[in-house]
Amino acid sequence: MKFALMVNQGPYTYQASDTAYHFVRAALNAGHEVVRIFFYHDGVNNGTRMTTPPQDDRHVVNRWSDLAHQHKLDLVVCVAAAQRRGILDVDEARRHGKNGDNLAPGFRISGLGQLIEAGVEADRLVVFGR
């Protein structure tokens, strides 16, 4: 089965991001395909490399980056939601005259069309968070 996911909440506010991460791992381990993971609303905060949790806590952003690297996953951060929250890749930072970017490795910024495309391509679109 092909899954697409939408994550709507940040990494440490609620359990949506952790649950989505564990869902993806379980789906991949069971032999399913993950078409794309789309981060929207406060979920875009999963894609900032500036997150620095305490040493004894899980590093949610690094988990996503590592999983994307291991399994060639497409982690897409909504451009409009990201800009509102100060999350920029190199191109967006340059375009808006900012002096730095903060998108974590393995993530990319794109628009809602990527969510629509994933929903069409996947057998199931699973939403985590409100």
Side-chain angles (χ1 to χ4, degrees), residues 45-117:
N45 290 312
N46 287 282
T48 175
R49 63 182 171 83
M50 300 305 231
T51 301
T52 311
Q55 288 181 334
D56 62 343
D57 197 358
R58 71 214 184 285
H59 198 304
V60 177
V61 176
N62 284 356
R63 281 182 176 178
W64 281 117
S65 292
D66 293 344
L67 194 64
H69 177 74
Q70 292 168 4
H71 296 280
K72 308 288 188 265
L73 297 175
D74 189 18
L75 305 181
V76 177
V77 174
C78 175
V79 63
Q83 286 176 353
R84 285 185 194 106
R85 291 159 179 86
I87 298 171
L88 305 168
D89 64 8
V90 173
D91 293 333
E92 288 298 312
R94 188 177 308 123
R95 190 166 76 95
H96 293 286
K98 303 296 180 180
N99 63 357
D101 64 281
N102 60 344
L103 193 66
F107 289 83
R108 68 184 179 97
I109 290 181
S110 194
L112 280 173
Q114 296 295 307
L115 175 61
I116 302 304
E117 181 183 83

Side-chain angles (χ1 to χ4, degrees), residues 17 22 26 97 105:
S17 181
H22 290 293

Side-chain angles (χ1 to χ4, degrees), residues 28-41:
L28 293 170
N29 287 338
H32 299 289
E33 181 182 343
V34 176
V35 173
R36 179 171 296 130
I37 304 162
F38 191 85
F39 297 88
Y40 194 41
H41 300 297

